[in-house]
Amino acid sequence: MGALDHLSNMFDCSGGSHRHYNNRKQLQTVEIRVKIDCEGCERKVRRSVEGMKGVTSVSIEPRQHKLTVVGYVEPHKVVSRVAHRTGKKAELWPYVPYDVVEHPYAQGVYDRKAPSGYVRYNQDPNMNHLTRATSTEVRYTTAFSDENTGACAIM
């Protein structure tokens, strides 16, 4: 801290000796999965979030059980507020579009409860991609494939 900064802090007329920087939150889009059965549930979920400080827009897709909140908010606070105000289980949107995942039908990625066009997002790198098949597995799968002309003789 320089001498000029020290002198300016001594003769500061703002009333405080410390500088307060306004930490602004980033504009974020928070997607939440919450079960929405009827219009009453939809209204309850919408009202729980609309009054929150920093929220600019709220959209609900009841068929996908999806709540989208846009605003200057923190995701974990939005999830906890929805869960507390509605009494429903709420979690961050666990699905990604089908095209993003390399193997969408791999174990741990495919989820039957996911909306159409989506698969479950798994952060574990071992679960997101399939392991390579061993040579014996390749031999057995190709022996009984339709492209193998000698498959009928084996069966």
Side-chain angles (χ1 to χ4, degrees):
M1 186 178 209
L4 286 175
D5 290 333
H6 182 68
L7 286 174
S8 67
N9 284 340
M10 277 183 25
F11 298 110
D12 189 14
C13 296
S14 66
S17 61
H18 297 24
R19 289 187 184 181
H20 295 285
Y21 294 104
N22 188 6
N23 293 334
R24 298 201 66 178
K25 295 176 185 168
Q26 296 286 330
L27 182 68
Q28 293 187 5
T29 302
V30 181
E31 295 176 332
I32 299 172
R33 182 176 187 267
V34 60
K35 189 163 178 150
I36 301 170
D37 298 324
C38 60
E39 291 179 11
C41 295
E42 182 179 347
R43 193 176 324 113
K44 191 175 189 180
V45 169
R46 182 181 301 277
R47 286 184 180 168
S48 71
V49 178
E50 280 181 340
M52 200 170 172
K53 184 179 178 182
V55 172
T56 56
S57 70
V58 177
S59 65
I60 297 177
E61 298 174 32
R63 287 190 173 257
Q64 293 185 344
H65 303 292
K66 183 178 183 180
L67 166 68
T68 305
V69 179
V70 178
Y72 300 97
V73 293
E74 295 179 21
H76 66 88
K77 287 186 179 180
V78 177
V79 171
S80 64
R81 179 158 174 151
V82 169
H84 177 72
R85 290 269 176 112
T86 62
K88 296 178 177 284
K89 181 184 171 194
E91 63 179 341
L92 289 175
W93 188 249
Y95 305 117
V96 294
Y98 183 82
D99 303 335
V100 176
V101 180
E102 293 177 22
H103 303 285
Y105 293 109
Q107 183 179 5
V109 176
Y110 181 71
D111 185 6
R112 290 189 307 185
K113 295 179 183 178
S116 62
Y118 289 95
V119 292
R120 184 170 284 279
Y121 176 69
N122 196 343
Q123 293 181 349
D124 185 14
N126 296 329
M127 295 295 282
N128 279 340
H129 58 83
L130 294 174
T131 57
R132 292 192 79 112
T134 62
S135 62
T136 53
E137 290 174 345
V138 170
R139 216 173 338 141
Y140 285 125
T141 55
T142 56
F144 296 105
S145 71
D146 291 336
E147 290 134 10
N148 186 2
T149 55
C152 292
I154 296 172
M155 294 163 127

